Amino acid sequence: MGRFGGALRCIKYLLLGFNLLFWLAGSAVIAFGLWFRFGGPMKDFSSEDSSPEYFYMGLYVLVGAGALMMAVGFLGCCGATRESQCVLGSFFTCLLVIFAAEITTGVFAFIGKDVAIRHVQTMYEEAYNDYLRDREKGNGTLITFHSTNCIDEIESIISVKLQLIGIVGIGIAALTIFGMIFSMVLCCAIRNSRDVI
């Protein structure tokens, strides 16, 4: 019984450590999404009519996913400290859903790079044509494109950022697997310890 209690305590602390990492990863995802939306070279696109709304929607989803990760991390901490099978089962289910979403996001980021780059090229061409039609009016989107060192540089930035998003998504998915394993092992250990008593 002493060894079993020690193993239960070890798994409990491993799960608490995982949840701390998961909570911090959620915070980092929120910070990255907000920085990419409101900072860096993309911040000036929001003031124009032709701003990349689909891109911003993706960033808002990223921020929402980060908030969900933080909430799920808190749920896992509650389940581990209270040793509740119900909360740990809910935590496992949430992790499973997040795992599927992260894999999907990672794959989309790797595959969708070309589509995003083509969309930015189209946006640039439309902004340039608008500028040629009415030179007096000026065009903030075109100025923003040129202030970040032309379309080639923007394509490079988008390619690198989407690749980074893909790597982070798949990395967090790998971390999520450990959380699912720890939560199920702790849930089974709690059930077995209650059966022994």
Side-chain angles (χ1 to χ4, degrees):
M1 178 101 162
R3 280 188 281 156
F4 189 71
L8 178 67
R9 199 172 357 224
C10 180
I11 292 171
K12 180 178 178 178
Y13 289 122
L14 281 172
L15 186 59
L16 287 171
F18 164 80
N19 285 315
L20 176 65
L21 286 176
F22 201 68
W23 189 85
L24 290 173
S27 300
V29 167
I30 289 173
F32 177 75
L34 290 176
W35 172 80
F36 202 60
R37 169 60 179 92
F38 296 109
M42 299 302 288
K43 68 179 177 189
D44 296 325
F45 286 124
S46 63
S47 62
E48 294 298 314
D49 292 336
S50 60
S51 63
E53 289 301 320
Y54 83 96
F55 184 72
Y56 290 146
M57 289 300 286
L59 291 176
Y60 296 142
V61 168
L62 190 66
V63 169
L68 179 65
M69 287 172 65
M70 290 178 69
V72 168
F74 180 74
L75 179 70
C77 283
C78 290
T81 55
R82 307 269 306 154
E83 296 183 1
S84 169
Q85 289 179 331
C86 180
V87 176
L88 287 172
S90 298
F91 173 69
F92 177 85
T93 304
C94 289
L95 284 181
L96 188 62
V97 169
I98 289 173
F99 175 75
E102 288 165 350
I103 292 294
T104 303
T105 301
V107 168
F108 173 75
F110 284 122
I111 293 174
K113 278 193 306 189
D114 295 332
V115 173
I117 289 171
R118 269 185 268 132
H119 183 73
V120 169
Q121 288 172 334
T122 303
M123 233 175 73
Y124 176 78
E125 290 168 3
E126 289 173 1
Y128 186 71
N129 290 335
D130 287 345
Y131 174 73
L132 289 178
R133 278 193 294 265
D134 190 8
R135 291 178 192 244
E136 304 287 321
K137 180 180 170 190
N139 192 314
T141 303
L142 192 63
I143 292 168
T144 302
F145 271 117
H146 285 289
S147 69
T148 58
N149 197 9
C150 79
I151 192 72
D152 293 332
E153 184 66 23
I154 290 175
E155 289 174 13
S156 171
I157 289 170
I158 289 175
S159 178
V160 168
K161 298 296 183 191
L162 284 177
Q163 187 172 10
L164 179 64
I165 289 171
I167 290 169
V168 168
I170 290 174
I172 292 174
L175 181 67
T176 304
I177 290 172
F178 287 109
M180 290 189 296
I181 291 170
F182 292 151
S183 67
M184 277 296 102
V185 169
L186 182 60
C187 191
C188 291
I190 290 168
R191 184 180 58 227
N192 290 339
S193 71
R194 291 189 179 149
D195 289 344
V196 169
I197 296 174

